[in-house]
Amino acid sequence: QVQLVESGGGLVQPGGSLRLSCAASGNIFSLYAMGWYRQAPGKQRELVAVITNTGYTHYGDFVKGRFTISRDNAKILVHLQMNSLKPEDTAVYYCNFKRGILDVWGQGTQVTVSS
């Protein structure tokens, strides 16, 4: 079993920054990918960013250099630094852990970008 604990999120003004963190614990082993997805009301869940234990990263098209995902392998901790936030970034952000057929989701954290 793998457990995910998310932190960060909240309310920020347009142009501001937020940092999300996700810590994984349990039977992690190796060869995994962790990342963040988001879901806005009435929309499908979409990929924000993912990083593997080897450091490979991939971002959603909408990110356009505004977000950076990083990891601490020793602590199995992933951070998502979000800069230049826009109102359309408002959504519930979910941490995700994948290893083979194992697919674990966090409970989600709300990010609201509004003046």
Side-chain angles (χ1 to χ4, degrees), residues 30-56:
S30 61
L31 299 177
Y32 63 86
M34 286 182 67
W36 291 90
Y37 291 72
R38 71 183 189 183
Q39 187 165 20
K43 295 188 177 181
Q44 290 187 333
R45 191 171 294 189
E46 62 181 349
L47 170 71
V48 179
V50 65
I51 187 168
T52 70
N53 62 300
T54 59
Y56 169 80

Side-chain angles (χ1 to χ4, degrees), residues 57-74:
T57 59
H58 180 71
Y59 294 90
D61 291 341
F62 63 87
V63 170
K64 299 186 186 302
R66 300 182 297 130
F67 300 172
T68 302
I69 192 167
S70 60
R71 79 195 192 285
D72 180 338
N73 274 354

Side-chain angles (χ1 to χ4, degrees), residues 10-29:
L11 174 65
V12 65
Q13 291 187 343
S17 298
L18 279 176
R19 189 193 200 204
L20 306 181
S21 297
C22 179
S25 61
N27 297 326
I28 303 300
F29 300 113

Side-chain angles (χ1 to χ4, degrees), residues 6-10 20-21 36 91-95 106-112:
E6 301 159 333
S7 60
L20 306 181
S21 297
W36 291 90
V92 177
Y93 285 67
Y94 296 91
C95 181
Q107 62 181 16
T109 184
Q110 178 70 45
V111 171
T112 302

